[in-house]
Amino acid sequence: MISAKDAFIKVAAICARQEKCVFDIEKKLYDWQINAADIAKIIDQLIEEKFIDETRYIRVYVKDKFNFNKWGKVKIRYQLKAKNISGKMVDSALDEINKDEYFQTLMLLLEQKKSKSKETDPYKQKASLVRFASSRGFEPNFIYNALDDLKL
């Protein structure tokens, strides 16, 4: 078993290398079998010393998941909620995504998916593309607008 002091040093080093949220660090500390009282103290100290900043984490998470994973806002919001993060900070970070870039990303994904599709029935092809875009977390209104632009 690891001491609370050593646990703090290890998680501080982790947070210094990569943005982490409270949920991620709590999980790691529980995995290391640190008691709940020490976990609360460690988390408080990490926040106080700016190793953990939920607002900063949310902004980086949203930006990365959109730019690198090509996720839509619905999926990003859902994944953050799974980490017990929700509210105005999430809304604000999602609003920072450029609407034109968001729509162009969806268009690109749909074009790539359509080019790989062997489906000849246009209704089945459209249904397949809607399911695909929905699974990526894009909102229905954006999906249907993009499909209209693709002439589907």
Side-chain angles (χ1 to χ4, degrees):
M1 193 159 131
I2 188 171
S3 72
K5 183 179 180 184
D6 290 340
F8 173 79
I9 292 167
K10 285 178 90 170
V11 293
I14 290 168
C15 291
R17 284 191 306 273
Q18 183 181 15
E19 285 295 336
K20 294 290 183 184
C21 65
V22 171
F23 180 84
D24 293 338
I25 297 302
E26 282 179 343
K27 184 177 182 315
K28 188 165 289 299
L29 292 170
Y30 277 113
D31 290 346
W32 293 344
Q33 299 176 346
I34 306 296
N35 70 51
D38 286 338
I39 289 175
K41 289 177 189 170
I42 291 169
I43 296 293
D44 288 345
Q45 189 174 356
L46 288 169
I47 291 170
E48 185 179 313
E49 295 182 19
K50 300 282 189 225
F51 282 105
I52 296 178
D53 182 337
E54 293 276 295
T55 304
R56 189 176 64 214
Y57 174 81
I58 293 167
R59 293 182 76 205
V60 169
Y61 187 90
V62 168
K63 185 177 178 190
D64 285 354
K65 293 305 178 187
F66 173 67
N67 290 329
F68 299 118
N69 296 42
K70 307 294 186 222
W71 286 0
K73 293 178 180 182
V74 174
K75 187 167 186 170
I76 295 171
R77 185 184 308 276
Y78 179 80
Q79 293 298 321
L80 284 169
K81 191 169 183 135
K83 295 175 180 266
N84 296 325
I85 301 172
S86 60
K88 290 185 185 342
M89 290 186 297
V90 173
D91 295 338
S92 175
L94 289 171
D95 287 342
E96 289 178 16
I97 297 174
N98 180 296
K99 287 183 180 14
D100 292 333
E101 195 177 327
Y102 188 71
F103 189 74
Q104 289 307 315
T105 298
L106 174 58
M107 288 289 290
L108 179 67
L109 289 171
L110 289 172
E111 287 169 354
Q112 290 172 348
K113 183 71 173 173
K114 182 183 175 193
S115 70
K116 293 177 184 175
S117 175
K118 293 176 175 59
E119 187 58 61
T120 55
D121 182 349
Y123 294 108
K124 288 182 181 177
Q125 187 179 49
K126 187 173 185 176
S128 172
L129 291 172
V130 168
R131 281 192 306 275
F132 168 73
S134 294
S135 73
R136 285 299 193 108
F138 288 91
E139 300 90 326
N141 61 324
F142 278 99
I143 296 169
Y144 290 111
N145 288 340
L147 291 173
D148 286 346
D149 284 4
L150 287 174
K151 308 287 188 266
L152 285 176

